[in-house]
Amino acid sequence: MRSRTSSWFETKIRYDRTMEDGSVKKVTELYVVDALCFAEAESTITEEMSAYISGEFDVKAITPATYGEIFFSDSGTDDRWYKTKLQFITLDEKSGKEKRTSVFYLVQAGSLNGAVKNIDAVMGTTQIDYVIAAINETQIMDVFEHRVKSQKMSDVKPEYEAE
């Protein structure tokens, strides 16, 4: 398991998919991208999906995700995404009362039980007291993390040139 904190955007794309029986059906799919702004999210999803979709597609919606951290599974069979609500438990020093703070995460797993195990695997390494308040399977198809584009040395312009 690994976790990644970033600015995540949920993007919906619509395109014509060829079904197994050969018919063509319009589908809308949900993807998550790592981006700093709406424009970068649109550019990223367009670039990523161009490799998978032949023909045209439209970006129908882009919304900032309610979660800032994603727990990625190392298992190739974990193909589902679960939105989870954890409540961190702290004690108010003045009143002595228990306080709960809700935080959302996206968790990759193969099943609901797998999502719970993956949450415990990541959160078990922390000192934070927490409870799992909610877990819901999402319709997210995939998550695209930011990739640094490599530069060729010939593309790098020197700051100054010797005369």
PDB file of all heavy atoms in Angstrom, residues 15-27:
ATOM      1  N   TYR A  15     -18.272   9.327 -24.451  1.00  0.00           N
ATOM      2  CA  TYR A  15     -17.788   8.891 -25.756  1.00  0.00           C
ATOM      3  C   TYR A  15     -18.626   7.717 -26.249  1.00  0.00           C
ATOM      4  O   TYR A  15     -19.433   7.146 -25.511  1.00  0.00           O
ATOM      5  CB  TYR A  15     -16.302   8.519 -25.706  1.00  0.00           C
ATOM      6  CG  TYR A  15     -15.990   7.291 -24.888  1.00  0.00           C
ATOM      7  CD1 TYR A  15     -15.802   6.052 -25.491  1.00  0.00           C
ATOM      8  CD2 TYR A  15     -15.857   7.359 -23.506  1.00  0.00           C
ATOM      9  CE1 TYR A  15     -15.509   4.915 -24.738  1.00  0.00           C
ATOM     10  CE2 TYR A  15     -15.557   6.240 -22.749  1.00  0.00           C
ATOM     11  CZ  TYR A  15     -15.389   5.021 -23.376  1.00  0.00           C
ATOM     12  OH  TYR A  15     -15.099   3.912 -22.629  1.00  0.00           O
ATOM     13  N   ASP A  16     -18.433   7.356 -27.529  1.00  0.00           N
ATOM     14  CA  ASP A  16     -19.112   6.203 -28.126  1.00  0.00           C
ATOM     15  C   ASP A  16     -18.251   4.974 -27.905  1.00  0.00           C
ATOM     16  O   ASP A  16     -17.106   4.918 -28.361  1.00  0.00           O
ATOM     17  CB  ASP A  16     -19.328   6.405 -29.628  1.00  0.00           C
ATOM     18  CG  ASP A  16     -20.320   7.509 -29.933  1.00  0.00           C
ATOM     19  OD1 ASP A  16     -21.233   7.718 -29.114  1.00  0.00           O
ATOM     20  OD2 ASP A  16     -20.184   8.162 -30.986  1.00  0.00           O
ATOM     21  N   ARG A  17     -18.801   3.981 -27.195  1.00  0.00           N
ATOM     22  CA  ARG A  17     -18.079   2.738 -26.928  1.00  0.00           C
ATOM     23  C   ARG A  17     -18.680   1.637 -27.792  1.00  0.00           C
ATOM     24  O   ARG A  17     -19.902   1.487 -27.874  1.00  0.00           O
ATOM     25  CB  ARG A  17     -18.202   2.340 -25.463  1.00  0.00           C
ATOM     26  CG  ARG A  17     -17.566   0.948 -25.207  1.00  0.00           C
ATOM     27  CD  ARG A  17     -17.854   0.422 -23.845  1.00  0.00           C
ATOM     28  NE  ARG A  17     -16.917   1.043 -22.921  1.00  0.00           N
ATOM     29  CZ  ARG A  17     -17.036   0.958 -21.605  1.00  0.00           C
ATOM     30  NH1 ARG A  17     -18.059   0.348 -21.059  1.00  0.00           N
ATOM     31  NH2 ARG A  17     -16.141   1.510 -20.832  1.00  0.00           N
ATOM     32  N   THR A  18     -17.814   0.851 -28.398  1.00  0.00           N
ATOM     33  CA  THR A  18     -18.269  -0.317 -29.148  1.00  0.00           C
ATOM     34  C   THR A  18     -18.443  -1.464 -28.167  1.00  0.00           C
ATOM     35  O   THR A  18     -17.496  -1.853 -27.487  1.00  0.00           O
ATOM     36  CB  THR A  18     -17.259  -0.695 -30.250  1.00  0.00           C
ATOM     37  OG1 THR A  18     -17.053   0.450 -31.083  1.00  0.00           O
ATOM     38  CG2 THR A  18     -17.780  -1.857 -31.078  1.00  0.00           C
ATOM     39  N   MET A  19     -19.664  -1.980 -28.088  1.00  0.00           N
ATOM     40  CA  MET A  19     -19.981  -3.041 -27.144  1.00  0.00           C
ATOM     41  C   MET A  19     -19.532  -4.393 -27.701  1.00  0.00           C
ATOM     42  O   MET A  19     -19.155  -4.506 -28.866  1.00  0.00           O
ATOM     43  CB  MET A  19     -21.485  -3.040 -26.846  1.00  0.00           C
ATOM     44  CG  MET A  19     -22.025  -1.676 -26.408  1.00  0.00           C
ATOM     45  SD  MET A  19     -21.123  -0.920 -25.060  1.00  0.00           S
ATOM     46  CE  MET A  19     -21.789  -1.832 -23.697  1.00  0.00           C
ATOM     47  N   GLU A  20     -19.605  -5.431 -26.870  1.00  0.00           N
ATOM     48  CA  GLU A  20     -19.166  -6.772 -27.284  1.00  0.00           C
ATOM     49  C   GLU A  20     -19.964  -7.314 -28.464  1.00  0.00           C
ATOM     50  O   GLU A  20     -19.447  -8.070 -29.267  1.00  0.00           O
ATOM     51  CB  GLU A  20     -19.260  -7.737 -26.101  1.00  0.00           C
ATOM     52  CG  GLU A  20     -18.222  -7.463 -25.042  1.00  0.00           C
ATOM     53  CD  GLU A  20     -18.310  -8.437 -23.873  1.00  0.00           C
ATOM     54  OE1 GLU A  20     -19.023  -9.440 -23.967  1.00  0.00           O
ATOM     55  OE2 GLU A  20     -17.635  -8.178 -22.859  1.00  0.00           O
ATOM     56  N   ASP A  21     -21.248  -6.927 -28.559  1.00  0.00           N
ATOM     57  CA  ASP A  21     -22.086  -7.405 -29.662  1.00  0.00           C
ATOM     58  C   ASP A  21     -21.915  -6.573 -30.932  1.00  0.00           C
ATOM     59  O   ASP A  21     -22.602  -6.801 -31.932  1.00  0.00           O
ATOM     60  CB  ASP A  21     -23.554  -7.451 -29.249  1.00  0.00           C
ATOM     61  CG  ASP A  21     -24.129  -6.082 -28.920  1.00  0.00           C
ATOM     62  OD1 ASP A  21     -23.399  -5.076 -29.030  1.00  0.00           O
ATOM     63  OD2 ASP A  21     -25.313  -6.013 -28.550  1.00  0.00           O
ATOM     64  N   GLY A  22     -21.006  -5.586 -30.910  1.00  0.00           N
ATOM     65  CA  GLY A  22     -20.741  -4.767 -32.081  1.00  0.00           C
ATOM     66  C   GLY A  22     -21.541  -3.478 -32.139  1.00  0.00           C
ATOM     67  O   GLY A  22     -21.266  -2.620 -32.977  1.00  0.00           O
ATOM     68  N   SER A  23     -22.523  -3.326 -31.263  1.00  0.00           N
ATOM     69  CA  SER A  23     -23.312  -2.095 -31.254  1.00  0.00           C
ATOM     70  C   SER A  23     -22.506  -0.963 -30.612  1.00  0.00           C
ATOM     71  O   SER A  23     -21.558  -1.194 -29.866  1.00  0.00           O
ATOM     72  CB  SER A  23     -24.619  -2.309 -30.491  1.00  0.00           C
ATOM     73  OG  SER A  23     -24.360  -2.591 -29.137  1.00  0.00           O
ATOM     74  N   VAL A  24     -22.902   0.255 -30.921  1.00  0.00           N
ATOM     75  CA  VAL A  24     -22.228   1.424 -30.378  1.00  0.00           C
ATOM     76  C   VAL A  24     -23.163   2.098 -29.389  1.00  0.00           C
ATOM     77  O   VAL A  24     -24.333   2.317 -29.670  1.00  0.00           O
ATOM     78  CB  VAL A  24     -21.831   2.403 -31.507  1.00  0.00           C
ATOM     79  CG1 VAL A  24     -21.221   3.665 -30.945  1.00  0.00           C
ATOM     80  CG2 VAL A  24     -20.878   1.735 -32.479  1.00  0.00           C
ATOM     81  N   LYS A  25     -22.631   2.406 -28.211  1.00  0.00           N
ATOM     82  CA  LYS A  25     -23.432   3.007 -27.151  1.00  0.00           C
ATOM     83  C   LYS A  25     -22.676   4.192 -26.562  1.00  0.00           C
ATOM     84  O   LYS A  25     -21.471   4.123 -26.353  1.00  0.00           O
ATOM     85  CB  LYS A  25     -23.692   1.953 -26.067  1.00  0.00           C
ATOM     86  CG  LYS A  25     -24.509   2.439 -24.906  1.00  0.00           C
ATOM     87  CD  LYS A  25     -24.713   1.329 -23.891  1.00  0.00           C
ATOM     88  CE  LYS A  25     -25.491   1.833 -22.701  1.00  0.00           C
ATOM     89  NZ  LYS A  25     -25.625   0.831 -21.657  1.00  0.00           N
ATOM     90  N   LYS A  26     -23.391   5.288 -26.322  1.00  0.00           N
ATOM     91  CA  LYS A  26     -22.779   6.442 -25.643  1.00  0.00           C
ATOM     92  C   LYS A  26     -22.650   6.127 -24.164  1.00  0.00           C
ATOM     93  O   LYS A  26     -23.608   5.717 -23.530  1.00  0.00           O
ATOM     94  CB  LYS A  26     -23.644   7.684 -25.830  1.00  0.00           C
ATOM     95  CG  LYS A  26     -23.329   8.447 -27.089  1.00  0.00           C
ATOM     96  CD  LYS A  26     -23.438   9.937 -26.817  1.00  0.00           C
ATOM     97  CE  LYS A  26     -23.162  10.763 -28.028  1.00  0.00           C
ATOM     98  NZ  LYS A  26     -21.794  10.764 -28.458  1.00  0.00           N
ATOM     99  N   VAL A  27     -21.445   6.311 -23.615  1.00  0.00           N
ATOM    100  CA  VAL A  27     -21.213   6.058 -22.200  1.00  0.00           C
ATOM    101  C   VAL A  27     -20.545   7.268 -21.564  1.00  0.00           C
ATOM    102  O   VAL A  27     -19.836   8.030 -22.226  1.00  0.00           O
ATOM    103  CB  VAL A  27     -20.341   4.801 -21.960  1.00  0.00           C
ATOM    104  CG1 VAL A  27     -21.041   3.546 -22.426  1.00  0.00           C
ATOM    105  CG2 VAL A  27     -18.995   4.930 -22.630  1.00  0.00           C
TER     106      VAL A  27
END
